[in-house]
Amino acid sequence: MNDTAHAADPTTDATPDLSTTTLVVVGAGTMGGAFATAALAAGVTAQNLRVVNSSDESSRRAADRLGATAGSIEDVAHADVVVIGVKPYQLRATLPPLIEHLRPETVVISLAAGATLQSLTRDLGGHERLVRAMPNTPMAVGEGVTALMFTDAVPEEQRALTRDLLHASGIVEEISEGSVHAVIGAAGSAPAFVFYLMEAMIDEAVRQGLTRAVATRMVEQTVKGAAQLVIESGDHPAIARAGVSSPGGTTAEGVAALDRHGMRAGIAAAMEAAAAKSRAMSGE
């Protein structure tokens, strides 16, 4: 399958009608909760979005937080889509109880890093309609990236439904499963790398005399504005950087310092480490 992009942009794409779609999210933690938030924003109703956590109390808390409905594992029997949002180490305990309730025609979307389509099929008793999704947390505010991988058994209407559920999440990329490890560094783990950069910038601004509140607001807006400028201009980041780097100026001096301290190599190392961990989790 060729890797293809689908921008989940409500200003250009027709808004899907998901009012009758029944979605069960098993494990509404950080990623499962972000997926649920995106699905609600795309048009799934609160009544039709059922949250199933490890206990009834946890399910109720998550449902209240998300604006969804607390459910139970039995709701899987009536679901159009089931999202597996638990952490990879929880899959062994989570998947077997689903098997007796899961209908063959239900599409299952797994958010668990490292769980391949082949292993998910095996652990779900041979269930074939599977989607492996690699989202990142900004999907909860409509600015995420999600990579999708489908088994051949998923028909086009369910592929379209999966994309519709992510309509309000940011951008969606359909990729081959062999590309998933690269996605980890470029998108899956990358928000944490950006947060780490922001943290370092804020701390240094405080050291140089700004209050933490002012430093935080400035760095947040700078990161947001820089990304938006590249997106709207269509310029390569190197071109955008050159545009604000006057000869002998402060920016050129700062970039030279980044090069001396190995920032580019550090970013590459972080992305490679994340990809290597993903390969190890997949047993490769």
Side-chain angles (χ1 to χ4, degrees), residues 22 75-82 98-108 127-129 158:
T22 302
D75 289 323
V76 168
H78 309 289
D80 297 308
V81 181
V82 175
L98 297 180
I99 295 174
E100 65 177 287
H101 303 291
L102 192 59
R103 294 176 297 149
E105 64 270 25
T106 300
V107 63
V108 176
H127 190 79
E128 295 184 333
R129 297 195 181 188
Q158 288 185 317

Short mmCIF file of all heavy atoms in Angstrom, two decimals, residues 22 75-82 98-108 127-129 158:
data_model
loop_
_atom_site.label_atom_id
_atom_site.label_comp_id
_atom_site.label_asym_id
_atom_site.label_seq_id
_atom_site.Cartn_x
_atom_site.Cartn_y
_atom_site.Cartn_z
N THR A 22 -21.87 3.77 16.84
CA THR A 22 -21.63 3.35 18.22
C THR A 22 -20.16 3.00 18.38
O THR A 22 -19.63 2.13 17.69
CB THR A 22 -22.49 2.14 18.59
OG1 THR A 22 -23.87 2.47 18.39
CG2 THR A 22 -22.27 1.73 20.03
N ASP A 75 -20.94 -4.00 26.06
CA ASP A 75 -21.29 -3.04 25.00
C ASP A 75 -20.55 -3.32 23.70
O ASP A 75 -20.97 -2.87 22.63
CB ASP A 75 -20.98 -1.61 25.46
CG ASP A 75 -21.93 -1.12 26.54
OD1 ASP A 75 -23.11 -1.47 26.47
OD2 ASP A 75 -21.47 -0.41 27.44
N VAL A 76 -19.46 -4.06 23.78
CA VAL A 76 -18.70 -4.41 22.58
C VAL A 76 -19.59 -5.16 21.58
O VAL A 76 -19.43 -5.02 20.37
CB VAL A 76 -17.46 -5.26 22.96
CG1 VAL A 76 -16.82 -5.89 21.74
CG2 VAL A 76 -16.46 -4.39 23.72
N ALA A 77 -20.54 -5.92 22.08
CA ALA A 77 -21.42 -6.72 21.21
C ALA A 77 -22.29 -5.85 20.30
O ALA A 77 -22.80 -6.33 19.28
CB ALA A 77 -22.30 -7.63 22.06
N HIS A 78 -22.47 -4.58 20.66
CA HIS A 78 -23.35 -3.70 19.88
C HIS A 78 -22.57 -2.58 19.20
O HIS A 78 -23.17 -1.67 18.64
CB HIS A 78 -24.41 -3.10 20.80
CG HIS A 78 -25.15 -4.12 21.61
ND1 HIS A 78 -26.06 -5.00 21.06
CD2 HIS A 78 -25.09 -4.42 22.94
CE1 HIS A 78 -26.53 -5.80 22.00
NE2 HIS A 78 -25.95 -5.47 23.15
N ALA A 79 -21.24 -2.65 19.23
CA ALA A 79 -20.42 -1.55 18.72
C ALA A 79 -20.18 -1.66 17.23
O ALA A 79 -20.00 -2.76 16.69
CB ALA A 79 -19.08 -1.53 19.46
N ASP A 80 -20.17 -0.51 16.56
CA ASP A 80 -19.70 -0.46 15.18
C ASP A 80 -18.17 -0.45 15.15
O ASP A 80 -17.56 -1.03 14.26
CB ASP A 80 -20.21 0.82 14.50
CG ASP A 80 -21.73 0.86 14.41
OD1 ASP A 80 -22.31 -0.13 13.92
OD2 ASP A 80 -22.32 1.86 14.85
N VAL A 81 -17.59 0.24 16.14
CA VAL A 81 -16.14 0.37 16.23
C VAL A 81 -15.73 0.18 17.68
O VAL A 81 -16.36 0.71 18.59
CB VAL A 81 -15.67 1.77 15.75
CG1 VAL A 81 -14.14 1.88 15.84
CG2 VAL A 81 -16.14 2.06 14.34
N VAL A 82 -14.66 -0.58 17.88
CA VAL A 82 -14.06 -0.73 19.22
C VAL A 82 -12.65 -0.19 19.15
O VAL A 82 -11.86 -0.57 18.27
CB VAL A 82 -14.04 -2.20 19.67
CG1 VAL A 82 -13.30 -2.35 21.00
CG2 VAL A 82 -15.45 -2.75 19.79
N LEU A 98 -12.69 -9.59 25.34
CA LEU A 98 -13.43 -9.01 24.23
C LEU A 98 -13.95 -10.05 23.25
O LEU A 98 -14.96 -9.84 22.57
CB LEU A 98 -12.53 -8.04 23.45
CG LEU A 98 -12.00 -6.80 24.17
CD1 LEU A 98 -11.14 -6.00 23.21
CD2 LEU A 98 -13.14 -5.95 24.69
N ILE A 99 -13.24 -11.18 23.17
CA ILE A 99 -13.49 -12.14 22.10
C ILE A 99 -14.93 -12.63 22.08
O ILE A 99 -15.56 -12.71 21.02
CB ILE A 99 -12.50 -13.32 22.21
CG1 ILE A 99 -11.08 -12.81 21.98
CG2 ILE A 99 -12.85 -14.41 21.21
CD1 ILE A 99 -10.00 -13.87 22.21
N GLU A 100 -15.50 -12.94 23.23
CA GLU A 100 -16.86 -13.51 23.25
C GLU A 100 -17.92 -12.49 22.86
O GLU A 100 -19.03 -12.87 22.47
CB GLU A 100 -17.18 -14.09 24.63
CG GLU A 100 -17.24 -13.07 25.75
CD GLU A 100 -17.64 -13.72 27.07
OE1 GLU A 100 -18.83 -14.08 27.21
OE2 GLU A 100 -16.76 -13.85 27.95
N HIS A 101 -17.61 -11.20 22.92
CA HIS A 101 -18.59 -10.16 22.60
C HIS A 101 -18.36 -9.54 21.21
O HIS A 101 -19.25 -8.86 20.68
CB HIS A 101 -18.53 -9.04 23.64
CG HIS A 101 -18.75 -9.49 25.04
ND1 HIS A 101 -19.97 -9.95 25.49
CD2 HIS A 101 -17.89 -9.59 26.09
CE1 HIS A 101 -19.87 -10.30 26.76
NE2 HIS A 101 -18.63 -10.10 27.15
N LEU A 102 -17.20 -9.77 20.63
CA LEU A 102 -16.82 -9.09 19.40
C LEU A 102 -17.45 -9.76 18.18
O LEU A 102 -17.26 -10.95 17.94
CB LEU A 102 -15.29 -9.12 19.28
CG LEU A 102 -14.62 -8.25 18.22
CD1 LEU A 102 -14.98 -6.79 18.42
CD2 LEU A 102 -13.10 -8.46 18.29
N ARG A 103 -18.21 -8.98 17.41
CA ARG A 103 -18.82 -9.50 16.18
C ARG A 103 -17.80 -9.47 15.04
O ARG A 103 -16.96 -8.56 14.98
CB ARG A 103 -20.03 -8.66 15.80
CG ARG A 103 -21.20 -8.74 16.78
CD ARG A 103 -22.31 -7.80 16.36
NE ARG A 103 -21.86 -6.40 16.39
CZ ARG A 103 -22.30 -5.45 15.58
NH1 ARG A 103 -23.20 -5.73 14.65
NH2 ARG A 103 -21.86 -4.21 15.69
N PRO A 104 -17.86 -10.43 14.12
CA PRO A 104 -16.88 -10.47 13.02
C PRO A 104 -16.87 -9.19 12.18
O PRO A 104 -15.83 -8.82 11.64
CB PRO A 104 -17.34 -11.67 12.18
CG PRO A 104 -18.10 -12.53 13.13
CD PRO A 104 -18.77 -11.59 14.09
N GLU A 105 -18.02 -8.53 12.06
CA GLU A 105 -18.09 -7.34 11.21
C GLU A 105 -17.66 -6.05 11.91
O GLU A 105 -17.60 -4.98 11.29
CB GLU A 105 -19.51 -7.16 10.66
CG GLU A 105 -20.58 -6.88 11.71
CD GLU A 105 -21.22 -8.14 12.26
OE1 GLU A 105 -20.58 -9.22 12.22
OE2 GLU A 105 -22.38 -8.04 12.74
N THR A 106 -17.36 -6.10 13.20
CA THR A 106 -16.94 -4.91 13.94
C THR A 106 -15.48 -4.60 13.64
O THR A 106 -14.64 -5.49 13.63
CB THR A 106 -17.11 -5.12 15.45
OG1 THR A 106 -18.49 -5.37 15.74
CG2 THR A 106 -16.66 -3.89 16.23
N VAL A 107 -15.19 -3.34 13.39
CA VAL A 107 -13.81 -2.95 13.17
C VAL A 107 -13.17 -2.58 14.51
O VAL A 107 -13.77 -1.89 15.33
CB VAL A 107 -13.70 -1.78 12.16
CG1 VAL A 107 -14.37 -0.51 12.67
CG2 VAL A 107 -12.24 -1.50 11.82
N VAL A 108 -11.97 -3.08 14.75
CA VAL A 108 -11.23 -2.83 15.99
C VAL A 108 -10.02 -1.96 15.66
O VAL A 108 -9.23 -2.30 14.77
CB VAL A 108 -10.76 -4.14 16.65
CG1 VAL A 108 -9.91 -3.85 17.89
CG2 VAL A 108 -11.96 -5.00 17.02
N HIS A 127 -9.77 -12.48 14.81
CA HIS A 127 -10.57 -11.35 14.29
C HIS A 127 -9.78 -10.64 13.21
O HIS A 127 -8.59 -10.34 13.38
CB HIS A 127 -10.91 -10.38 15.43
CG HIS A 127 -11.91 -9.34 15.03
ND1 HIS A 127 -13.26 -9.60 14.96
CD2 HIS A 127 -11.76 -8.05 14.67
CE1 HIS A 127 -13.90 -8.51 14.59
NE2 HIS A 127 -13.00 -7.56 14.39
N GLU A 128 -10.42 -10.35 12.08
CA GLU A 128 -9.69 -9.88 10.91
C GLU A 128 -9.84 -8.40 10.62
O GLU A 128 -8.96 -7.81 9.98
CB GLU A 128 -10.14 -10.67 9.68
CG GLU A 128 -9.79 -12.16 9.76
CD GLU A 128 -10.16 -12.90 8.49
OE1 GLU A 128 -11.11 -12.45 7.81
OE2 GLU A 128 -9.51 -13.90 8.17
N ARG A 129 -10.91 -7.78 11.05
CA ARG A 129 -11.12 -6.37 10.69
C ARG A 129 -10.42 -5.49 11.72
O ARG A 129 -11.02 -5.03 12.69
CB ARG A 129 -12.61 -6.06 10.59
CG ARG A 129 -13.29 -6.83 9.48
CD ARG A 129 -14.65 -6.28 9.13
NE ARG A 129 -15.28 -7.07 8.08
CZ ARG A 129 -16.41 -6.75 7.46
NH1 ARG A 129 -17.05 -5.63 7.80
NH2 ARG A 129 -16.91 -7.52 6.52
N GLN A 158 -15.45 0.84 5.99
CA GLN A 158 -14.95 0.93 7.36
C GLN A 158 -13.64 1.70 7.42
O GLN A 158 -13.33 2.33 8.44
CB GLN A 158 -14.80 -0.46 7.97
CG GLN A 158 -16.16 -1.09 8.29
CD GLN A 158 -16.03 -2.42 9.00
OE1 GLN A 158 -15.20 -3.26 8.66
NE2 GLN A 158 -16.88 -2.64 10.00
#
